[in-house]
Amino acid sequence: MSSYALRSLFVFASLTLSLAAEYSKSEIDYDFGDYRGKWCLDDHGFVYSIGEVYFPGHTACPCTCTEDGPICVKPSCPRIHPKCTRITYKSCCPVCEAISRVCIHKGKTYRVLEEFMLSPCERCRCGANREVYCTVAECPGLHCVNPIYEPHQCCPVCKNGPNCFVGNIVIPAGVRVEIDERNVCFCSYKEGTWETHHQATCEVQETKNERDETFEQMDRQLIPKLETIP
């Protein structure tokens, strides 16, 4: 058997004998007599009568001395400030005696009124009350459907200028684009802004044959009128 096991066995045997001796004591074996069921003792040896309320220790909750022993009840304690750095106990409840003079946010420390960036879009400040306040940047409306995010920049930008979709095709704003021989499309803007609609506006145009037929009809309508001129 190892020396550690022998020491453990010796300590256990000593505690067992001590407890057995405690319960086998008679009244004359106690320094102040057998006080059980008669009064209560606190951690410092002070005596309290049955029915008396006392505090067994410095951080202990109030207890009432009864014939069955002390009955202790924890009261409702006020909330401790989350920035508290030194706590003491008064009447069982913790009391804050010192509050941190810095802000601690996500494991980092910041001075009062110090500003810092959590991300390209999120700016924060350590307030006078040691609380951190953050604001998120608002990006302006985009004029394109294929914005690009630049490194270390919060808002996306339209590298290719304003544009819009025709189906899955991207067309630039400011020009009319013939999609086929009958359809021409262009980017339109939202009312009162320079922000383009995501989908283009398309119109049906006449084919070359239809235009030729239209011109012929106009010519036929004009010829009789010319013959009637005196």
Side-chain angles (χ1 to χ4, degrees):
M1 185 179 295
S2 64
S3 59
Y4 176 78
L6 288 173
R7 286 197 299 272
S8 299
L9 181 60
F10 176 76
V11 170
F12 178 75
S14 300
L15 290 174
T16 303
L17 292 173
S18 176
L19 290 172
E22 178 71 20
Y23 281 101
S24 63
K25 283 181 179 181
S26 63
E27 185 169 352
I28 61 174
D29 293 323
Y30 287 90
D31 294 335
F32 302 100
D34 187 358
Y35 62 86
R36 291 174 298 180
K38 299 178 182 178
W39 57 76
C40 301
L41 293 175
D42 65 8
D43 294 346
H44 303 286
F46 291 99
V47 178
Y48 299 90
S49 303
I50 301 297
E52 192 172 357
V53 177
Y54 68 102
F55 293 89
H58 178 63
T59 62
C61 295
C63 300
T64 301
C65 182
T66 70
E67 293 182 355
D68 297 324
I71 297 178
C72 304
V73 179
K74 184 176 181 179
S76 178
C77 297
R79 178 176 173 269
I80 292 293
H81 194 283
K83 304 294 183 182
C84 187
T85 58
R86 187 168 69 247
I87 297 175
T88 59
Y89 286 84
K90 181 179 180 181
S91 301
C92 179
C93 288
V95 178
C96 182
E97 290 195 342
I99 297 178
S100 174
R101 299 299 178 186
V102 296
C103 293
I104 300 176
H105 189 69
K106 294 186 177 181
K108 294 185 179 181
T109 301
Y110 303 94
R111 299 185 304 275
V112 172
L113 303 183
E114 180 181 358
E115 293 187 354
F116 54 96
M117 300 292 294
L118 286 183
S119 70
C121 292
E122 193 172 9
R123 178 183 295 274
C124 300
R125 184 181 186 183
C126 175
N129 60 350
R130 277 79 66 188
E131 295 289 340
V132 174
Y133 301 93
C134 299
T135 56
V136 178
E138 293 186 6
C139 296
L142 294 172
H143 310 309
C144 64
V145 293
N146 55 351
I148 297 174
Y149 282 90
E150 297 282 4
H152 311 297
Q153 296 294 323
C154 173
C155 297
V157 294
C158 294
K159 295 281 287 187
N160 300 319
N163 52 42
C164 61
F165 279 123
V166 178
N168 294 326
I169 302 173
V170 177
I171 64 172
V175 296
R176 298 171 69 88
V177 179
E178 290 188 358
I179 304 303
D180 51 42
E181 64 177 6
R182 292 193 62 85
N183 294 286
V184 59
C185 300
F186 56 91
C187 297
S188 59
Y189 293 89
K190 295 180 180 179
E191 185 176 357
T193 71
W194 287 102
E195 186 177 352
T196 57
H197 290 285
H198 285 181
Q199 292 294 330
T201 300
C202 295
E203 296 176 349
V204 178
Q205 63 180 355
E206 292 181 332
T207 63
K208 183 177 182 303
N209 292 334
E210 290 174 339
R211 285 196 297 271
D212 292 342
E213 291 178 359
T214 302
F215 291 145
E216 290 177 0
Q217 291 176 0
M218 292 176 62
D219 290 342
R220 285 196 297 269
Q221 291 174 358
L222 289 173
I223 289 173
K225 294 180 180 180
L226 291 173
E227 291 178 349
T228 59
I229 295 176

